[in-house]
Amino acid sequence: MKLAGNTVLVTGGASGIGLAIAERFLQAGSTVIICGRREDKLHEAKQQHPTLHARVCDVAQEQERKELYNWIRENFPKMNVLVNNAGIQRRVNPVDTQEPWSETQQELAINLEAPIHLCMLFAEHLKKQEKAAIINVTSGLAFTPAAFAPIYCATKAALHSFTVSLRFLLSKTSVEVLEIVPPAVNTDLGGVGLHTFGEPVDAFADSVMQRLDQGELEVGYGNSEQRRLASRQENDAFSEQMNQRMFSGS
Ligand SMILES: NC(=O)c1ccc[n+]([C@@H]2O[C@H](COP(=O)([O-])OP(=O)(O)OC[C@H]3O[C@@H](n4cnc5c(N)ncnc54)[C@H](OP(=O)(O)O)[C@@H]3O)[C@@H](O)[C@H]2O)c1
């Protein structure tokens, strides 16, 4: 896909990877709409980039997803790119916790239910555009589960799987289906300070967005590029080492 000349919706576009994706579409001359739950973050992003359009939306809520779809259809009828980027990551042990089910349900709703439902809502609209794309943001952890965030990893593996099927199902239409597979990137994912060891967000976004612009359909960066291409045996060994390291505290 080309980054120029589109009308793009980026969920979770007010911060981190979503904002970096939004910025690259803007720089290429596309119209960009971002959404998220926090109005102050959307406002901050708009102050930085006055041409951005923004809407408060909690993608975990079915009704809000439908309202977002209707609002986009009405206000941005040429919208032709959906970026499913919004996500949360909880470090939790689901078999050793008293937390209510609603916490897990929320993670499933944001990371998996929302992107699937948004694809379903927008599919017909996107098919009517001359050129269109769906970009799903998964994770290197889709390929190498980490036991410190088991629900998160399951949602990302499922979203990768859904993306591959969607690509086939839309292959005879104008809609390209792309996947960004980030490694650990220095954002506020999971809480401030938890990803400072990650790749710098701009270097990561420059690389993956350039590769999408050049026509690649699935792109990783650094470590996640290796993991998305590795054998099952290599990834199992990677997961095992990661779990041993995380749980031994070394
Ligand atoms: N950073 C990494 O190491 C890494 C690695 C692999 C994959 N990823 C993926 O990259 C994507 C972006 O994450 P990030 O690293 O940029 O983290 P981030 O800075 O925390 O950004 C997440 C964004 O999603 C939005 N969001 C969360 N829940 C939402 C909801 N219910 N409705 C609407 N928006 C919501 C947040 O805004 P509000 O809180 O205002 O709603 C925020 O703008 C996620 O899908 C994440 O899983 C990140």
Side-chain angles (χ1 to χ4, degrees):
M1 74 165 301
K2 287 287 157 205
L3 299 186
N6 302 297
T7 302
V8 187
L9 168 64
V10 186
T11 67
S15 68
I17 291 172
L19 180 59
I21 292 172
E23 287 171 342
R24 276 138 192 92
F25 274 115
L26 273 184
Q27 281 152 14
S30 288
T31 299
V32 183
I33 308 114
I34 57 172
C35 74
R37 292 167 301 183
R38 288 168 297 170
E39 198 164 6
D40 58 323
K41 289 304 277 185
L42 294 168
H43 185 66
E44 240 174 69
K46 262 186 77 64
Q47 278 192 319
Q48 239 181 306
H49 304 286
T51 56
L52 269 180
H53 302 271
R55 180 176 168 96
V56 174
C57 173
D58 179 353
V59 297
Q61 308 301 324
E62 179 186 356
Q63 188 54 31
E64 294 200 27
R65 297 193 290 261
K66 288 181 180 163
E67 284 165 11
L68 175 68
Y69 166 72
N70 289 329
W71 178 79
I72 291 279
R73 291 281 311 267
E74 207 175 306
N75 294 284
F76 300 94
K78 290 190 181 146
M79 179 270 198
N80 68 328
V81 179
L82 166 65
V83 184
N84 279 310
N85 164 76
I88 62 165
Q89 183 188 78
R90 294 180 329 119
R91 297 186 175 203
V92 66
N93 180 343
V95 286
D96 186 20
T97 177
Q98 298 302 312
E99 71 170 20
W101 166 244
S102 58
E103 302 288 324
T104 294
Q105 206 168 30
Q106 168 88 342
E107 193 169 18
L108 295 170
I110 297 171
N111 291 6
L112 184 59
E113 187 180 308
I116 292 176
H117 190 202
L118 289 171
C119 288
M120 291 167 70
L121 285 169
F122 280 101
E124 285 310 312
H125 169 82
L126 292 173
K127 282 188 214 169
K128 290 186 190 125
Q129 312 303 312
E130 198 182 326
K131 282 192 172 161
I134 292 172
I135 305 176
N136 289 335
V137 178
T138 62
S139 170
L141 295 180
F143 302 88
T144 49
F148 68 85
I151 312 300
Y152 175 83
C153 295
T155 64
K156 293 299 182 176
L159 186 58
H160 165 70
S161 166
F162 180 71
T163 305
V164 174
S165 296
L166 200 63
R167 184 174 299 134
F168 179 82
L169 293 171
L170 290 170
S171 58
K172 292 191 170 53
T173 72
S174 61
V175 189
E176 278 190 314
V177 179
L178 303 103
E179 181 176 348
I180 298 176
V181 185
V185 176
N186 186 359
T187 69
D188 290 345
L189 185 72
V192 178
L194 285 181
H195 278 89
T196 48
F197 66 94
E199 302 284 354
V201 68
D202 282 328
F204 156 75
D206 282 343
S207 169
V208 294
M209 296 310 281
Q210 193 179 22
R211 287 174 62 191
L212 294 188
D213 186 65
Q214 287 165 354
E216 288 189 61
L217 296 178
E218 185 187 295
V219 292
Y221 182 75
N223 178 277
S224 68
E225 181 67 5
Q226 289 165 17
R227 279 141 70 184
R228 78 178 182 88
L229 298 169
S231 70
R232 173 72 189 273
Q233 204 177 19
E234 287 166 322
N235 275 342
D236 283 354
F238 185 96
S239 272
E240 179 64 24
Q241 279 169 16
M242 181 167 49
N243 286 336
Q244 294 298 346
R245 199 174 55 243
M246 292 296 290
F247 284 85
S248 72
S250 59

